[in-house]
Amino acid sequence: MAKKAARFTGRPLCFGLAVGVVLTWVISGPLFGFSDTWQLVINTGTTILTFLMVFLIQNTQNRDTDALQIKLDELIRVTELAHNTLLDLEELDEKTLDRYRAHYSAMAHKARRKGQVEDLPEP
């Protein structure tokens, strides 16, 4: 259900519907004398939609991140010289990730000193 909702809300049609709702609300303002109830309708509606969209966006982000991690794991797995210990790296604790980050940062720094990054412009 979340996947279908994310696809629908990401379409131009849904944006158009949202614009239509806001325009209808603005145009109806004089009919209701710009009353507190009139303002409460849009405030309540947008608050509820925003609340629900936060969870929908998080669900979509989690799904995309999981798919990306699986793809990266597969690339690591099939690359002959890659370290298979890097598979499923996102599941490690912060301390271990910091050690890996420091290790690869040092490797990058060393490679730059040796001039192994020839095709890239100077920073």
Side-chain angles (χ1 to χ4, degrees):
M1 186 171 110
K3 191 175 181 180
K4 287 181 181 180
R7 283 205 174 118
F8 174 73
T9 56
R11 294 180 189 264
L13 172 65
C14 189
F15 178 76
L17 290 172
V19 169
V21 167
V22 171
L23 287 176
T24 301
W25 173 77
V26 168
I27 292 169
S28 70
L31 298 172
F32 293 100
F34 300 102
S35 68
D36 290 342
T37 303
W38 173 79
Q39 290 180 24
L40 187 61
V41 167
I42 197 71
N43 290 340
T44 303
T46 55
T47 300
I48 290 169
L49 286 174
T50 301
F51 179 76
L52 295 174
M53 287 302 292
V54 166
F55 294 103
L56 188 63
I57 291 167
Q58 187 62 52
N59 174 271
T60 303
Q61 184 69 35
N62 289 346
R63 198 171 53 250
D64 289 348
T65 300
D66 288 345
L68 183 61
Q69 288 303 323
I70 291 167
K71 291 173 184 179
L72 290 172
D73 285 348
E74 177 62 8
L75 290 173
I76 292 168
R77 187 189 68 78
V78 300
T79 303
E80 192 172 314
L81 297 177
H83 298 281
N84 286 340
T85 57
L86 297 177
L87 291 169
D88 209 17
L89 195 64
E90 68 278 3
E91 298 299 326
L92 298 177
D93 61 84
E94 287 297 318
K95 187 176 178 182
T96 305
L97 286 175
D98 288 341
R99 283 198 337 254
Y100 274 110
R101 190 176 298 113
H103 173 74
Y104 282 98
S105 180
M107 286 175 62
H109 184 70
K110 185 177 178 182
R112 285 187 200 104
R113 277 198 327 250
K114 288 184 177 182
Q116 292 177 351
V117 186
E118 299 167 4
D119 296 338
L120 298 176
E122 291 293 319

